[in-house]
Amino acid sequence: MIYITLSIFCSVTVAVLLKLAKRYQISIIQAVTYNYLTALILCFLFFKPDVSVITPAAPWPIYISLAVLLPSIFLFLAASVKNLGIVKTDIAQRLSLFIPILAAYFIFKEDFNNLKFIGLAVGFVAILLTFIRKNDKQSESNKWIYPVFVFVGFGVIDVLFKQIALHKELPYTTSLFTVFCLAFLVSLIIVIVMVLVKKIKLQLVNLICGIILGLFNFGNILFYLKAHQALAKNPSTVFAAMNLGVIVVGSLIGILIFKEKLSRLNYAGIVLALAAVILITLSQIYAV
């Protein structure tokens, strides 16, 4: 369980760093660029990918899609944490698992049992309750769009990574290295354009934040993979512990440390989100 605990810690720390970004005037896109450079280097050192096996036959459309989506979703993640807090953003990210599950049903024609259907229904209600806001101002009500993008974005990214995993001709870690490399290049192009066109300055604080962000971002991936290796016969345990852990720890930090205000309906949404993850996990265990 040590790997799961470390993965949860790294995942929640990323959200905390994004929460603190505004306070220290961090440029998110610059930090994200350095983040992918750091993750790229760590991926090379830890996984030692064999880049020679990357050929034109590799799933390049998926690689390129991920290269664009990953830095983009980081920006929406940061905006969601900034505007709606860690609690709601973490729930949106974790409940994004519904998208690959729905893809499995409608696209890959997998059989679903009643527990999974119930879990999806509960999760849908959880999303609605979690994002309800008392403030009806137009500027405030529009902020729900950020966690929606987080929800959809992470769900699509999960589906694309699963597609890469099915590409048996290439090791998964080599594909991961390729995606990080392309994501860094996309982020770098955006930063260069901003520097040349908008005259944005490169600052040392963004480099430092980006490196720290990259360490925890990569740590989340590394420990999650190691948890699956250590508990190879119990993948549902890893799945449940990771998702439940992030929702619980993220909620506690958001409420206790950052004093994020939630309504009773929001709290009900958190409880239902936990219930949804448990139901979906049980549906995997008891799948026929």
Side-chain angles (χ1 to χ4, degrees):
M1 292 295 287
I2 184 64
Y3 291 130
I4 297 175
T5 303
L6 290 171
S7 184
I8 292 170
F9 171 75
C10 289
S11 180
V12 174
T13 301
V14 168
V16 171
L17 289 172
L18 293 175
K19 180 77 173 180
L20 296 172
K22 181 182 178 181
R23 181 181 301 177
Y24 296 100
Q25 298 182 330
I26 303 296
S27 167
I28 297 298
I29 185 59
Q30 288 185 38
V32 166
T33 303
Y34 295 126
N35 151 76
Y36 282 117
L37 177 60
T38 303
L40 181 64
I41 294 170
L42 291 172
C43 188
F44 181 80
L45 295 175
F46 279 87
F47 298 143
K48 296 179 172 53
D50 183 8
V51 293
S52 65
V53 300
I54 300 291
T55 66
W60 285 102
I62 298 178
Y63 289 165
I64 294 171
S65 298
L66 284 168
V68 175
L69 278 172
L70 284 172
S72 301
I73 201 63
F74 236 123
L75 299 179
F76 281 110
L77 188 69
S80 182
V81 169
K82 173 185 173 183
N83 289 284
L84 289 179
I86 294 174
V87 178
K88 297 182 179 183
T89 302
D90 274 341
I91 290 175
Q93 183 179 348
R94 292 301 146 187
L95 290 183
S96 66
L97 62 94
F98 295 150
I99 292 178
I101 288 174
L102 290 173
Y105 182 74
F106 288 106
I107 299 176
F108 303 111
K109 307 300 180 183
E110 290 185 13
D111 292 329
F112 273 32
N113 54 30
N114 290 333
L115 278 176
K116 189 162 289 187
F117 280 119
I118 295 171
L120 289 172
V122 172
F124 179 74
V125 176
I127 292 170
L128 294 178
L129 292 179
T130 302
F131 298 148
I132 288 176
R133 295 173 65 88
K134 289 183 178 180
N135 198 324
D136 292 324
K137 291 181 181 178
Q138 186 67 23
S139 60
E140 291 292 325
S141 61
N142 286 339
K143 292 179 180 179
W144 64 269
I145 198 69
Y146 299 121
V148 168
F149 271 109
V150 169
F151 173 79
V152 175
F154 273 102
V156 173
I157 287 170
D158 195 13
V159 171
L160 292 175
F161 269 122
K162 288 184 188 303
Q163 289 293 93
I164 288 178
L166 294 174
H167 197 83
K168 301 299 184 181
E169 290 78 8
L170 290 171
Y172 183 79
T173 50
T174 300
S175 291
L176 188 64
F177 176 80
T178 306
V179 169
F180 279 155
C181 185
L182 293 174
F184 167 67
L185 291 176
V186 170
S187 302
L188 184 61
I189 290 171
I190 296 173
V191 170
I192 291 173
V193 171
M194 292 180 69
V195 170
L196 295 178
V197 177
K198 294 188 176 182
K199 308 301 180 182
I200 303 296
K201 293 183 179 180
L202 298 176
Q203 296 178 308
L204 181 61
V205 66
N206 298 319
L207 171 62
I208 296 171
C209 182
I211 292 173
I212 296 172
L213 197 63
L215 288 171
F216 286 105
N217 194 23
F218 179 78
N220 178 29
I221 296 170
L222 176 65
F223 294 127
Y224 187 68
L225 290 176
K226 283 188 173 294
H228 273 294
Q229 291 173 348
L231 299 169
K233 294 183 179 180
N234 298 285
S236 58
T237 301
V238 179
F239 171 84
M242 182 64 191
N243 286 283
L244 291 171
V246 169
I247 291 175
V248 171
V249 176
S251 297
L252 288 174
I253 290 177
I255 295 167
L256 298 178
I257 297 180
F258 291 103
K259 309 300 181 184
E260 294 177 5
K261 295 182 179 179
L262 303 177
S263 66
R264 290 182 179 179
L265 289 177
N266 295 154
Y267 281 112
I270 295 173
V271 174
L272 288 179
L274 294 172
V277 173
I278 292 171
L279 286 169
I280 291 173
T281 303
L282 290 174
S283 74
Q284 294 177 326
I285 295 173
Y286 297 111
V288 179

